Amino acid sequence: MARILLAGGAGYIGSHTAVELLNAGHDVIVVDNYSNSSPESLRRVEQITGKQIKQYEADIRNHEKLTAIFRENKIDAVIHFAGLKAVGESVQKPVSYYRNNIDTTLTLLEVMQECDVKKIIFSSSATVYGEENPVPYVETMKRGVCTNPYGWTKAMIEQILEDAAKANPSLSVILLRYFNPIGAHESGMIGEDPMGIPNNLMPYVTQVAVGKRECLTIFGNDYPTKDGTCLRDYIHVVDLAKGHVKAITYILDHCCNEIINLGTGTPYSVTEIVETFEAVNHIRVNHVYGERRAGDLPACYANADKAHTMLGWKTEKTLADMCRDSWNWQKNNPNGYNSKS
Ligand code: NAD
Ligand code: UFG
């Protein structure tokens, strides 16, 4: 069993990963500045698992604080979730995105080197495949041209980590490229809690269903797909979290430098998401078809073979599970972590 530091571990994916790591018997240390999360998520993780998390409120870019945290805990591996992630906002505030996302990574790498920690897993994104590569995306494809600063931070961080691993063969790196995480823990106690108007599809759908927003706009129905709406590889966040546990097991046992897709390999359209959500939860989601959203690709989905062969990981949850669990979280917590559990 190992001691895993989760940078940005109070967020949506980090909190679900914390549950699965604790359930697998690992010790979890979270460092988060709560810029897009709340310590309440970690309190609930402790409630779900009956185990404790060592928590630090700190900015990962604070070299001194981070060094003290690493010195206080004997860290075996780091999972780096910390970053700003809103695509549209990254176009408005590119400098903040580059500053936060790149600097968190550089500071982590420096402190890891100083404290002799040699294993890091990074939250990358399918967005790095760009628009040039054909679907399904395979890890051997070259990174493409990103359409926004958020995507570029992911591509740049991948490059930084690859260069660091090349220069220091004792450093192990796994770049996990997530596709579209949705859903929530089946307890309904933790889930995605976006600030303000959601950018992503599923939180928008659940907020319309719960009456917080009036109507979902489906961005474009004239794409060259089966029903004209975009195709994405939606993955249940609990499956995604279990993928991190497998990646931790792998990186602890191997000296490696790997890229691994975490997706299901099965694309669904926006209309299918809305229809499945309505059918599974017996609730209507008011929606209209509108203009295409700038930067959206018609289709984005994984070839998920490598995660299976290398990590022995496969998704287990269905689209119905994803829709049911997203709604369960939203209806129990209409105001996210600000409402009572
Ligand atoms: P999230 O915003 O819920 O979690 C990120 C966490 O990092 C938050 O708790 C935030 O407070 C923290 N953070 C940000 N900057 C920090 C800093 N400088 N110091 C300390 N903490 C900081 O996002 P998420 O959905 O859980 O995503 C986790 C990671 O996965 C991100 O890097 C994101 O870009 C990546 N990713 C997410 C998706 C998705 O659709 N959710 C898809 C692909 C990749
Ligand atoms: N969509 C709508 N209406 C909405 C929101 C989204 O129709 O109100 C559609 C989008 O047009 C897209 C699909 O739903 O076709 C999914 O959109 P999301 O914003 O949920 O997700 P994206 O695929 O655009 O982006 C996600 C992550 C990014 C990541 C990218 C990688 O949010 O961080 O996947 O492929 F970079």
Side-chain angles (χ1 to χ4, degrees), residues 192-204:
E192 188 169 11
D193 184 17
M195 291 184 181
I197 302 171
N199 303 294
N200 297 115
L201 178 63
M202 187 52 89
Y204 209 105

Side-chain angles (χ1 to χ4, degrees), residues 85 87 125-128 148 150-151 178-181 198-204 216-220 223 229-232 234 270 293 296-297 300:
K85 63 160 184 176
V87 171
S125 165
T127 197
V128 302
N148 56 73
Y150 164 76
Y178 309 156
F179 282 71
N180 288 55
N199 303 294
N200 297 115
L201 178 63
M202 187 52 89
Y204 209 105
L216 168 76
T217 301
I218 295 182
F219 299 136
Y223 285 99
T229 65
C230 292
L231 298 174
R232 294 289 181 273
Y234 297 94
V270 181
R293 181 172 70 178
D296 276 345
L297 297 177
C300 171

Side-chain angles (χ1 to χ4, degrees), residues 8 10-14 32-37 58-61 81-83 85 100 104 123-125 150 154 178-179 181:
Y12 174 46
I13 300 169
D32 203 301
N33 64 359
Y34 305 119
S35 56
N36 195 40
S37 57
D59 195 304
I60 300 289
R61 293 170 294 176
F81 299 103
K85 63 160 184 176
N100 192 69
T104 49
S123 300
S124 191
S125 165
Y150 164 76
K154 294 296 178 195
Y178 309 156
F179 282 71

Side-chain angles (χ1 to χ4, degrees), residues 243-263:
H244 290 72
V245 178
K246 294 282 193 186
I248 279 291
T249 306
Y250 188 88
I251 207 171
L252 290 173
D253 282 353
H254 298 82
C255 189
C256 60
N257 182 7
E258 297 288 346
I259 299 174
I260 302 178
N261 287 340
L262 293 182

Side-chain angles (χ1 to χ4, degrees), residues 31-324:
V31 185
D32 203 301
N33 64 359
Y34 305 119
S35 56
N36 195 40
S37 57
S38 141
E40 176 62 13
S41 65
L42 299 177
R43 197 187 67 75
R44 296 194 188 181
V45 169
E46 292 183 330
Q47 234 175 303
I48 292 169
T49 58
K51 297 188 177 167
Q52 289 219 312
I53 296 175
K54 204 155 177 194
Q55 300 162 40
Y56 295 89
E57 180 170 359
D59 195 304
I60 300 289
R61 293 170 294 176
N62 187 329
H63 193 114
E64 212 178 306
K65 264 195 183 173
L66 197 63
T67 308
I69 294 167
F70 271 74
R71 296 230 184 272
E72 210 174 287
N73 301 279
K74 217 192 133 334
I75 308 294
D76 295 304
V78 171
I79 309 183
H80 177 18
F81 299 103
L84 302 175
K85 63 160 184 176
V87 171
E89 188 185 55
S90 80
V91 177
Q92 309 304 320
K93 300 179 182 170
V95 178
S96 320
Y97 270 67
Y98 287 114
R99 173 63 80 197
N100 192 69
N101 293 4
I102 307 284
D103 274 3
T104 49
T105 310
L106 295 176
T107 308
L108 266 172
L109 281 173
E110 285 168 355
V111 173
M112 283 173 63
Q113 188 161 15
E114 285 158 24
C115 299
D116 208 27
V117 176
K118 296 177 184 306
K119 299 188 182 278
I120 181 166
I121 294 175
F122 173 61
S123 300
S124 191
S125 165
T127 197
V128 302
Y129 286 105
E131 30 193 357
E132 298 77 8
N133 287 304
V135 283
Y137 296 137
V138 187
E139 292 88 343
T140 47
M141 291 171 171
K142 278 196 165 44
R143 279 189 286 270
V145 173
C146 297
T147 52
N148 56 73
Y150 164 76
W152 280 118
T153 69
K154 294 296 178 195
M156 288 176 187
I157 294 168
E158 286 199 355
Q159 186 69 51
I160 290 167
L161 288 166
E162 282 173 358
D163 289 344
K166 225 177 277 169
N168 175 6
S170 72
L171 178 70
S172 286
V173 173
I174 297 183
L175 307 174
L176 294 178
R177 290 182 178 161
Y178 309 156
F179 282 71
N180 288 55
I182 59 172
H185 190 262
E186 62 180 6
S187 64
M189 289 172 63
I190 56 171
E192 188 169 11
D193 184 17
M195 291 184 181
I197 302 171
N199 303 294
N200 297 115
L201 178 63
M202 187 52 89
Y204 209 105
V205 166
T206 61
Q207 291 198 8
V208 171
V210 86
K212 280 182 83 173
R213 318 247 159 233
E214 238 166 63
C215 182
L216 168 76
T217 301
I218 295 182
F219 299 136
N221 61 349
D222 58 351
Y223 285 99
T225 60
K226 51 190 167 185
D227 60 19
T229 65
C230 292
L231 298 174
R232 294 289 181 273
D233 187 336
Y234 297 94
I235 171 169
H236 196 296
V237 68
V238 171
D239 276 334
L240 187 76
K242 289 179 176 166
H244 290 72
V245 178
K246 294 282 193 186
I248 279 291
T249 306
Y250 188 88
I251 207 171
L252 290 173
D253 282 353
H254 298 82
C255 189
C256 60
N257 182 7
E258 297 288 346
I259 299 174
I260 302 178
N261 287 340
L262 293 182
T264 65
T266 306
Y268 289 103
S269 74
V270 181
T271 300
E272 283 174 316
I273 296 293
V274 174
E275 286 174 353
T276 308
F277 187 93
E278 292 184 324
V280 168
N281 298 312
H282 310 289
I283 190 161
R284 229 191 93 57
V285 177
N286 197 15
H287 61 276
V288 293
Y289 290 95
E291 295 294 304
R292 290 182 177 195
R293 181 172 70 178
D296 276 345
L297 297 177
C300 171
Y301 53 97
N303 172 317
D305 293 348
K306 184 170 175 183
H308 188 217
T309 49
M310 181 167 272
L311 304 180
W313 170 88
K314 242 184 150 168
T315 57
E316 289 165 355
K317 309 258 188 193
T318 64
L319 183 60
D321 296 330
M322 302 182 212
C323 291
R324 189 199 53 237

